[in-house]
Each structure stands twice: as structure tokens, then as C-alpha cells.
Amino acid sequence: GEDVEQSLFLSVREGDSSVINCTYTDSSSTYLYWYKQEPGAGLQLLTYIFSNMDMKQDQRLTVLLNKKDKHLSLRIADTQTGDSAIYFCAGELIFGAGTRLAVHP
Amino acid sequence: DTGVSQNPRHKITKRGQNVTFRCDPISEHNRLYWYRQTLGQGPEFLTYFQNEAQLEKSRLLSDRFSAERPKGSFSTLEIQRTEQGDSAMYLCASSLKGGYGYTFGSGTRLTVV
């Protein structure tokens, strides 16, 4: 069946770049998404990329898509403590288990 | 519009009881989704509607679970004969048709004792 896999944890120093990776099996999704969940809060759509694009940039966020390898990544430039959260990769219906990003001084 | 609204926020029930949750989506969104999330996991897809039509159901959705969206606006999710394994956060989301991502509600936390 369809599956989305992510590494579970990432720790970065404040001011560094964070890269969160995701692999997926379903190639029929027209869009791929990144959501953010802060502690005790609901999921919030962060950004998305159309499946025929290979890159999308939105302020500090850069999404890279490699369709051949079915690999999606989210890069956060100049990571801040407020970026500490769980980040979920998702296709049209299926979500990954989430990557917990911890930002330390 | 205040976003996606879910009620109740919390529900504690005894094993074997039936429970019903309600979701009010963003008014112009024609798609509505139900997910279940347990601690340390991502949202698990349960079912979704386009307007009043239920278009897809997960194999996770046993016959104890039923969802409705009678007039294409709000939706209800009912769990019959609850089991301890049903304890989770039940999330509702809505979207415009295709490609805009979801807006999630705050969820209903179910505890089965």
C-alpha cells in the first residue's frame, strides 16, 4: 500500500539550516505537502509542491522533489527556536510519522 | 469563518459505549476528511467526503465506525461499541477540491476506559 517514511528526529543549532527528508511510494499524488505541528497544537499546512516541479522556495523554506527517487525534502534556513515542532510529509491522503525538530542554542 | 471546528474537544467513555463526534468545516470547502492520530504517530487516514458523497474509506475503518455528511456541510463520525484501542485524537480537516492542502481542526481526544 501507499507509504510515506521520514526520519524520526533531527537536532540542529540555532541559526543553522535544517533538512528534513521524506520518501514516498505513491507516485499518483499531484501535490506533496509539508505540515507543522507545534506542541499541544493542531497541524498547520506549511508549504506544498506540485508534482511536476523539482523545487519551490518560500522565504526560509525550500522544498526539493526528486520524482525519480520519490524523495522529498524540506530545508529551513536560519533555523530558530520557534521552528521546534514535528514536521509531517504527506501525499494526497497519506501522512508520514513525522520528524521532531529540536533547535538548541 | 473561524476555521474547522470540532466538538467535543475531549470525550471520556466506557468501553462498549457509542460515541459521536462532529466536525464543521470551512464553509466554502467541499472536501472533508477524518483522520486518527495516536501519540508519536502521524495522522492515519480514515475517510473523506466530497460534498455529501463518501468517496474513500480506509481499510482501518472497521464496521464499528461510520461517518456521514448529510447535506455536504458538517460531518459526524460515530464509533459503536468502543474499545480501548480506539483511544486517540480524531482529527477533521477540510479543503477545496484538490491541491490546496488541508485545514485541520483542533481534534477530539477520545479516551476509552
Side-chain angles (χ1 to χ4, degrees):
Chain A
E2 300 167 16
D3 195 20
V4 175
E5 292 193 356
Q6 305 177 235
S7 52
L8 294 182
F9 187 75
L10 178 65
S11 178
V12 299
R13 191 184 303 273
E14 192 174 12
D16 287 352
S17 292
S18 308
V19 179
I20 302 171
N21 294 302
C22 167
T23 57
Y24 59 93
T25 58
D26 177 21
S27 55
S28 67
S29 292
T30 306
Y31 294 88
L32 293 157
Y33 306 90
W34 286 101
Y35 290 83
K36 177 182 181 182
Q37 187 173 36
E38 296 184 73
L43 281 92
Q44 176 188 10
L45 178 66
L46 203 55
T47 187
Y48 61 92
I49 188 167
F50 188 47
S51 59
N52 71 355
M53 296 172 65
D54 51 21
M55 186 180 88
K56 178 180 179 181
Q57 187 148 5
D58 183 1
Q59 300 182 334
R60 291 190 298 120
L61 305 178
T62 303
V63 179
L64 295 177
L65 174 60
N66 181 329
K67 282 193 75 173
K68 175 176 169 290
D69 295 337
K70 297 184 181 178
H71 183 266
L72 184 72
S73 68
L74 174 69
R75 179 178 180 270
I76 306 172
D78 187 25
T79 313
Q80 302 298 307
T81 54
D83 296 323
S84 295
I86 302 174
Y87 291 81
F88 294 95
C89 170
E92 293 295 348
L93 293 176
I94 304 301
F95 282 70
T99 299
R100 182 179 295 275
L101 175 64
V103 183
H104 55 88
Chain B
D1 199 335
T2 56
V4 178
S5 176
Q6 292 190 246
N7 288 287
R9 292 293 303 272
H10 303 275
K11 178 71 177 178
I12 300 174
T13 191
K14 291 184 178 179
R15 191 174 53 184
Q17 298 293 304
N18 300 343
V19 294
T20 300
F21 311 139
R22 177 178 169 126
C23 173
D24 288 88
I26 292 174
S27 56
E28 60 265 30
H29 286 183
N30 55 12
R31 287 193 175 180
L32 186 149
Y33 308 81
W34 285 101
Y35 282 82
R36 179 173 66 189
Q37 187 178 25
T38 53
L39 197 63
Q41 299 297 316
E44 284 181 303
F45 170 72
L46 295 178
T47 189
Y48 91 94
F49 294 83
Q50 182 164 305
N51 300 314
E52 65 274 12
Q54 189 172 17
L55 293 189
E56 191 163 338
K57 290 194 289 187
S58 166
R59 65 184 182 279
L60 297 173
L61 209 67
S62 77
D63 55 8
R64 295 185 299 107
F65 289 70
S66 62
E68 293 183 343
R69 194 182 183 198
K71 297 180 181 178
S73 57
F74 75 91
S75 176
T76 57
L77 177 69
E78 181 184 17
I79 309 174
Q80 296 183 326
R81 304 182 303 282
T82 50
E83 302 172 355
Q84 285 190 317
D86 297 331
S87 295
M89 178 74 85
Y90 288 83
L91 299 170
C92 176
S94 68
S95 73
L96 290 168
K97 181 180 175 183
Y100 295 92
Y102 303 167
T103 302
F104 277 89
S106 298
T108 294
R109 182 171 295 283
L110 173 67
T111 303
V112 182
V113 298

